[in-house]
Amino acid sequence: MNILQNISLKKYNTFGIDVSARFFVEVTSLLQLQKVLELKSYPKKFVLSGGSNILLTKDVDALVIYINLKGKTVLNQTEAKVLLKVMAGENWHELVLWCLEKDYGGLENLSLIPGNTGTAPIQNIGAYGVELKDVFESCTAMEIASGELVVFDKEQCRFGYRDSIFKQKAKGKYIITSVNFWLTKKNHPITTNYGAIEEELRNQDIVYPTIQDVSNAVIAIRQSKLPDPAQIGNSGSFFKNPIVSKKTFEKLKKEFPDAPSYSISKEQIKVPAGWLIEKCDFKGRRIGDAGVHEKQALVLVNHGNASGVEILDLAQSIQKRVRETFKIDLQPEVNIIR
Ligand code: EPU
């Protein structure tokens, strides 16, 4: 086991924030992970995976454990379905592409989401009408205190909108080591009724889309408005889309008749945070190297050398202005490490 010291974490977080880890270790097997967790000489430990949903605001004074567990295994299959086990360190988009190659359906709407498979259940990643929970069977996690492996089934994960037990009761207690998915092998259900997918397929003259077509459409849409973290540091949507009561929304609509919305239930309405932020004139704004993306106001970006604190300051100014203008509180989706 190779424990390094004072390692820059710039390439380990998609925001590209240049802070350092006091100690750093990469783990590639479950046994190694167990051994690292047992190390008494490093009492403070910090788990890092794809680094696509965190904002680091200072050096990490702990042993950073970089989860690099790899592997994909078919556990079970019928003529119509396959149960796939994927280790936590597998890159998410590479997994999606691998499934398309095998003609396994279910993940295509989630194409091009940055990050690794093991962190996908934590915030129940979602895009274009599909959430991770729709294909999730179970996940295995190592309890940090004991090093024991525990299986969480779908119900136990308590999935919600960008939420799960791993952001609530189980927060900081487990490391997800692998995730099992049920995927389809034929007659793939196709979800195209959300966002701009239908329009994109129409533009391409596709009437009966395959899962590959859906993936291509999602990739085209994402590339047209979301910045590529390899080019410009970001963490996808910085805030969650707020869910407000119908009454609150009706009041808002009186003042802002163009306010977009999605109905969640009889009583609840989701308002796109990107619209709220754009209305407050933040779209494309830049303070030093911290900025709001010019094509998607929900995405904060690092134009080069922004510090985590600068991004956080910008996020807080946005929250303040949105609260003053709309009386709506924006909750960060990104995990802020202070
Ligand atoms: N909008 C604006 N201005 C903007 C951005 C958005 O007015 O600058 C309004 C428009 O009305 C637009 C609507 O917001 O139609 C929705 O925008 P978009 O389709 O880009 O989706 P989103 O609600 O901003 C969510 C997810 C994304 C996911 C897309 C597509 C959250 C927090 N974000 O964004 O997920 O890709 O839907 O399904 O729910 C992520 O979580 O990191 C992420 C990128």
Side-chain angles (χ1 to χ4, degrees):
M1 200 181 315
N2 193 10
I3 295 183
L4 306 170
Q5 282 193 40
N6 300 322
I7 291 292
S8 167
L9 293 176
K10 191 173 165 83
K11 67 171 184 182
Y12 294 98
N13 70 100
T14 59
F15 252 124
I17 304 292
D18 195 5
V19 292
S20 59
R22 176 109 188 266
F23 303 103
F24 181 94
V25 65
E26 175 175 345
V27 296
T28 54
S29 75
L30 291 175
L31 197 65
Q32 254 182 0
L33 182 55
Q34 253 157 355
K35 290 226 164 88
V36 168
L37 292 178
E38 277 167 14
L39 291 172
K40 296 271 182 301
S41 41
Y42 301 90
K44 286 193 272 178
K45 299 184 177 75
F46 180 95
V47 181
L48 185 66
S49 180
S52 61
N53 207 40
I54 51 168
L55 177 65
L56 297 160
T57 61
K58 57 176 188 192
D59 290 339
V60 183
D61 183 23
L63 172 62
V64 170
I65 307 173
Y66 177 56
I67 308 297
N68 201 10
L69 304 165
K70 298 280 191 198
K72 306 185 223 27
T73 323
V74 170
L75 294 180
N76 196 349
Q77 57 185 317
T78 64
E79 217 181 290
K81 283 167 109 187
V82 58
L83 180 64
L84 188 69
K85 173 182 176 177
V86 185
M87 297 305 287
E90 289 286 346
N91 174 272
W92 179 263
H93 183 58
E94 280 168 24
L95 168 68
V96 175
L97 295 181
W98 182 86
C99 288
L100 288 169
E101 234 170 69
K102 303 255 174 214
D103 200 28
Y104 295 159
L107 304 185
E108 55 283 354
N109 293 54
L110 304 176
S111 297
L112 217 60
I113 295 184
N116 287 349
T117 305
T119 39
I122 300 178
Q123 58 151 338
N124 181 25
I125 58 169
Y128 304 102
V130 173
E131 287 184 330
L132 175 106
K133 70 169 171 50
D134 302 328
V135 285
F136 180 93
E137 190 259 348
S138 66
C139 66
T140 302
M142 194 175 284
E143 194 184 14
I144 293 176
S146 65
E148 268 170 39
L149 290 174
V150 188
V151 175
F152 288 83
D153 66 21
K154 192 156 153 175
E155 201 179 312
Q156 288 165 326
C157 286
R158 297 181 176 270
F159 290 122
Y161 166 56
R162 295 294 189 279
D163 198 25
S164 76
I165 192 165
F166 302 106
K167 278 178 103 172
Q168 305 293 339
K169 221 173 85 191
K171 188 173 176 174
K173 295 190 179 140
Y174 296 91
I175 299 169
I176 296 174
T177 54
S178 63
V179 185
N180 292 357
F181 301 96
W182 271 120
L183 303 174
T184 51
K185 283 169 67 184
K186 58 180 190 182
N187 304 329
H188 307 299
I190 300 279
T191 307
T192 56
N193 56 355
Y194 187 95
I197 299 190
E198 269 171 355
E199 194 188 326
E200 181 64 35
L201 291 168
R202 220 177 302 125
N203 289 343
Q204 295 180 28
D205 283 333
I206 295 169
V207 182
Y208 299 107
T210 61
I211 52 175
Q212 184 68 63
D213 294 330
V214 173
S215 171
N216 291 344
V218 168
I219 290 174
I221 298 164
R222 291 188 76 102
Q223 283 177 337
S224 73
K225 60 178 164 187
L226 294 172
D228 174 1
Q231 259 131 45
I232 177 163
N234 76 90
S235 221
S237 305
F238 194 90
F239 301 103
K240 293 195 213 182
N241 285 328
I243 295 170
V244 301
S245 69
K246 213 168 184 175
K247 217 167 126 200
T248 305
F249 185 70
E250 273 157 16
K251 260 196 232 155
L252 181 88
K253 194 89 183 166
K254 265 194 196 138
E255 216 179 319
F256 303 93
D258 59 332
S261 63
Y262 311 104
S263 179
I264 298 285
S265 65
K266 265 193 180 160
E267 280 308 307
Q268 291 183 309
I269 307 252
K270 201 189 256 183
V271 187
W275 181 85
L276 299 170
I277 298 169
E278 184 174 343
K279 271 278 164 191
C280 291
D281 244 0
F282 273 99
K283 197 169 183 171
R285 202 179 296 179
R286 180 171 173 169
I287 302 169
D289 270 355
V292 178
H293 189 52
E294 55 187 10
K295 294 190 193 136
Q296 219 311 358
L298 190 48
V299 178
L300 302 191
V301 293
N302 174 5
H303 285 287
N305 292 310
S307 69
V309 170
E310 285 168 327
I311 303 267
L312 183 58
D313 283 348
L314 176 60
Q316 285 170 342
S317 314
I318 291 172
Q319 282 173 307
K320 185 167 176 276
R321 184 74 69 78
V322 167
R323 198 177 304 124
E324 286 164 0
T325 313
F326 300 103
K327 296 185 184 62
I328 290 179
D329 276 323
L330 291 183
Q331 301 297 334
E333 189 208 89
V334 169
N335 194 5
I336 299 167
I337 312 295
R338 294 167 208 251

